[in-house]
Amino acid sequence: MTVQTEPAASQLYTTVNRRTCSSVSAPRITTHYTIHPRDQDSRWEGMEMERFADEADVVIVGGGPAGLSAAIRLKQLANKHGKELRVCLVEKASQIGAHTLSGACLEPSALTELFPDWKERGAPLNTPVTEDVFSILTEKHRIPVPMLPGLPMMNHGNYIVRLGNFVRWLGEQAEELGVEIYPGYAAAEVLFHEDGSVKGIATNDVGIAKDGSPKLWSIEEKKWRPGRVEHSVGWPLNRNTYGGSFLYHLNEGEPLVALGFVVGLDYNNPYLSPFREFQRWKHHPFVAPTLEGGQRIAYGARALNEGGLQSIPKLTFPGGILIGCSPGFMNVPKIKGTHTAMKSGMLAAEAIFPRVTAENSESETAGLHIPEYSDNLKKSWVWKELHSVRNIRPSFHNYFGLYGGMIYTGIFYWIFRGKEPWTLKHCGLDADQLKPAKDCTPIEYPKPDGKISFDLLSSVALSGTNHEGDQPPHLTLKDDSVPVARNLAIYDGPEQRFCPAGVYEYVPMETGDGMRLQINAQNCVHCKTCDIKDPSQNINWVVPEGGGGPAYNGM
């Protein structure tokens, strides 16, 4: 495959009018070339852009558990069979693991298949699960739920890990095997052969001016219980909003806990703020005592692909395959996807290897189509696991919401192990679920106390997020008029609440007449929530310059 890089490029910038509540023109928001092509920009007339190309046998985009597992398995197979195989991996973060975020409880099945001697190799799995706690929270109380063997949240045999550290370790193993890893390079474009098959990728632009012209918590030790896993559902969410919490006690030589709050993006009320729900949850009488006297040391946010079996897309195409979390291999009720992501990468490598090393390859130019990957995946334990839990998430779409879903899970999963002969459907795109603001009740969130709950911007500062300021914002709009004319007018600007990093703000026009959308792209933690939840599907998330984004320290 081909990897191409650009030393410099730019985007078009022209002034256009944008509708506001008062029909006043405003500066344009979007300057990215994907929306405004360069060939229509007079400033680029006669400018030649040289691209550097490099050839590899396999190019992997993304240095997460799946991509690294695929790279490692390919090199393992190549070394075993005495084959020369060049495997390159590109990662948009400045270093492997810097964009990896998860309070992870790791099921080690795929890791054991990949490296049976992972303990001897020093894999950073330091905290075996010793205790499981599951709760239904009301505003003031806790209802304990017994953890019966076989339930999805049972974690016997699993490990609490800092996934960023684990991914860095995988990167070290990959490099030892000869994988070429290139952090700081974002894959911005797919390249195609003339027959339509995938040829390779082009990395992101650099050296472009902003206007488009050329150019974890540490807690008190007495409250620390290494190996304890706590999950909850219920308050502060209502019964019709899917979500829950996790709180993991790590054994990393100091009293650390990883905690987080998950909100299903199919919620209806545009006034809901996932970040503020998280802050409110921390004040629950069952949660707050663990955190009191502690110190917040890191913050991050990400979107989870929770569609499950029903939402898995076509996985193979000429020249490429899909692996990892992106196609939707997460076990939703377990809130675990690392083991399935790794296994998908390994299966991909095993399907790719014989085809890419075959001496009688069909073509040296057309991208290889490898449907064997999909076939093997459907025969693996990954598919069996996802099939058994396929109905748990959509079962929450009922009149009783959370409680109806829990009853369904108890009957059809715990008793029948997901062998019911039907498959429930999801309710549709998350972006289509918001109700107009006039039909919803605003949510009054308490002011953060600065001890257990915190404001958004100070939290984002702990993510280490940074982007080169003088580059076209990577958060682009297909139509600059839509935010005010539709999102603000109908839904009261939900992007200013669903973004966990304060990227989107509605501010008064400089003229004092109407409002405009301001995008603080430098705050972006690359969670992709805006791309998913925008009710107008007007936000087009593209990669920034490589190396930008959060810098998570082993979260």
Side-chain angles (χ1 to χ4, degrees):
M1 299 186 75
T2 301
V3 181
Q4 294 187 350
T5 61
E6 291 186 60
S10 81
Q11 291 80 27
L12 167 68
Y13 182 84
T14 57
T15 302
V16 298
N17 290 336
R18 180 169 62 85
R19 295 198 308 274
T20 67
C21 291
S22 60
S23 300
V24 177
S25 63
R28 198 174 73 202
I29 301 171
T30 300
T31 60
H32 202 270
Y33 75 93
T34 55
I35 304 299
H36 302 289
R38 297 181 187 128
D39 58 10
Q40 299 176 19
D41 186 352
S42 60
R43 294 171 302 178
W44 284 87
E45 290 182 4
M47 180 169 289
E48 295 187 8
M49 294 171 53
E50 183 180 4
R51 280 189 166 185
F52 301 97
D54 197 9
E55 299 287 336
D57 294 301
V58 180
V59 175
I60 297 171
V61 179
L68 287 166
S69 296
I72 288 168
R73 192 73 184 117
L74 279 166
K75 293 301 287 188
Q76 286 176 336
L77 290 168
N79 294 342
K80 177 181 178 181
H81 295 279
K83 298 284 188 178
E84 287 293 330
L85 191 69
R86 188 180 182 202
V87 180
C88 295
L89 183 148
V90 296
E91 163 60 41
K92 64 182 172 67
S94 59
Q95 59 183 341
I96 295 296
H99 286 183
T100 300
L101 172 68
S102 179
C105 189
L106 176 67
E107 188 172 312
S109 51
L111 174 60
T112 301
E113 291 183 24
L114 189 63
F115 289 118
D117 60 342
W118 58 264
K119 291 184 180 179
E120 292 76 13
R121 288 174 173 266
L125 277 64
N126 304 315
T127 312
V129 174
T130 58
E131 183 181 9
D132 267 308
V133 177
F134 192 82
S135 311
I136 300 175
L137 301 183
T138 63
E139 185 172 357
K140 299 294 182 181
H141 300 92
R142 166 186 175 255
I143 303 170
V145 177
M147 290 303 296
L148 301 173
L151 285 175
M153 300 306 292
M154 190 73 177
N155 287 288
H156 178 74
N158 297 337
Y159 292 81
I160 303 169
V161 302
R162 296 167 68 177
L163 194 60
N165 289 350
F166 176 67
V167 166
R168 274 197 289 272
W169 177 83
L170 281 178
E172 293 168 1
Q173 308 309 304
E175 287 187 313
E176 285 184 12
L177 287 166
V179 177
E180 298 178 34
I181 297 179
Y182 298 98
Y185 287 87
E189 181 183 352
V190 179
L191 307 177
F192 297 94
H193 291 291
E194 291 184 1
D195 65 356
S197 63
V198 172
K199 179 181 182 182
I201 56 100
T203 57
N204 60 293
D205 300 342
V206 295
I208 311 159
K210 190 171 185 178
D211 67 355
S213 62
K215 189 204 157 194
L216 296 150
W217 274 79
S218 176
I219 62 173
E220 293 180 344
E221 191 162 358
K222 64 183 178 181
K223 302 174 182 178
W224 182 39
R225 302 177 67 174
R228 180 181 172 99
V229 169
E230 302 178 25
H231 290 100
S232 75
V233 294
W235 189 89
L237 303 177
N238 62 35
R239 62 182 171 87
N240 292 315
T241 302
Y242 185 87
S245 73
F246 64 85
L247 196 159
Y248 302 151
H249 293 245
L250 290 148
N251 188 9
E252 300 281 343
E254 56 182 319
L256 294 175
V257 295
L259 60 151
F261 198 79
V262 179
V263 178
L265 290 181
D266 55 354
Y267 64 81
N268 304 128
N269 190 340
Y271 293 110
L272 187 147
S273 166
F275 174 83
R276 291 182 176 177
E277 296 292 347
F278 176 37
Q279 304 308 310
R280 186 158 61 162
W281 165 79
K282 288 188 289 184
H283 282 279
H284 191 275
F286 181 65
V287 180
T290 300
L291 305 180
E292 288 170 347
Q295 180 184 3
R296 176 188 56 152
I297 58 176
Y299 168 80
R302 62 170 293 191
L304 305 176
N305 190 328
E306 61 167 16
L309 197 75
Q310 294 91 321
S311 301
I312 294 175
K314 182 176 173 60
L315 297 170
T316 65
F317 46 91
I321 58 179
L322 300 177
I323 62 174
C325 293
S326 295
F329 296 140
M330 187 178 79
N331 184 319
V332 178
K334 282 187 176 183
I335 324 178
K336 291 179 180 63
T338 304
H339 65 302
T340 50
M342 291 178 66
K343 182 62 175 178
S344 72
M346 295 159 63
L347 289 167
E350 291 162 4
I352 291 169
F353 179 75
R355 297 288 300 276
V356 79
T357 57
E359 295 181 0
N360 58 343
S361 178
E362 302 91 359
S363 171
E364 294 185 3
T365 57
L368 291 174
H369 187 207
I370 308 178
E372 298 94 319
Y373 164 62
S374 294
D375 298 337
N376 294 341
L377 188 72
K378 292 176 181 178
K379 298 174 185 175
S380 73
W381 56 258
V382 172
W383 204 262
K384 181 179 180 182
E385 180 176 325
L386 296 182
H387 186 269
S388 69
V389 299
R390 70 194 183 285
N391 287 330
I392 293 181
R393 175 65 173 94
S395 73
F396 281 73
H397 294 294
N398 65 83
Y399 176 78
F400 299 102
L402 166 67
Y403 307 108
M406 293 184 70
I407 292 171
Y408 184 96
T409 301
I411 295 174
F412 292 103
Y413 181 79
W414 187 62
I415 297 177
F416 296 108
R417 291 293 185 268
K419 294 180 180 179
E420 62 268 33
W422 58 82
T423 296
L424 302 178
K425 296 181 179 180
H426 293 293
C427 61
L429 294 177
D430 291 341
D432 295 337
Q433 305 310 311
L434 284 182
K435 295 179 179 178
K438 64 181 180 61
D439 299 330
C440 300
T441 302
I443 301 174
E444 296 295 329
Y445 290 104
K447 184 178 179 180
D449 65 0
K451 298 177 180 179
I452 292 179
S453 53
F454 301 90
D455 66 282
L456 183 58
L457 292 182
S458 71
S459 298
V460 174
L462 291 176
S463 70
T465 294
N466 182 59
H467 295 86
E468 167 58 44
D470 193 21
Q471 64 173 300
H474 66 283
L475 300 165
T476 70
L477 303 179
K478 299 174 184 176
D479 184 338
D480 288 353
S481 70
V482 165
V484 169
R486 187 169 191 268
N487 286 14
L488 183 61
I490 300 175
Y491 302 103
D492 197 47
E495 54 267 69
Q496 61 190 328
R497 287 178 287 273
F498 62 57
C499 174
V503 169
Y504 301 95
E505 289 184 280
Y506 283 94
V507 298
M509 292 280 290
E510 287 74 6
T511 60
D513 187 8
M515 304 289 285
R516 66 177 179 86
L517 178 67
Q518 177 172 296
I519 299 181
N520 306 308
Q522 68 275 14
N523 285 5
C524 180
V525 295
H526 297 195
C527 73
K528 298 297 291 290
T529 299
C530 58
D531 204 8
I532 299 167
K533 191 59 177 175
D534 176 14
S536 302
Q537 287 296 279
N538 186 52
I539 295 173
N540 180 45
W541 204 104
V542 297
V543 291
E545 289 186 3
Y552 298 133
N553 182 23
M555 288 184 68

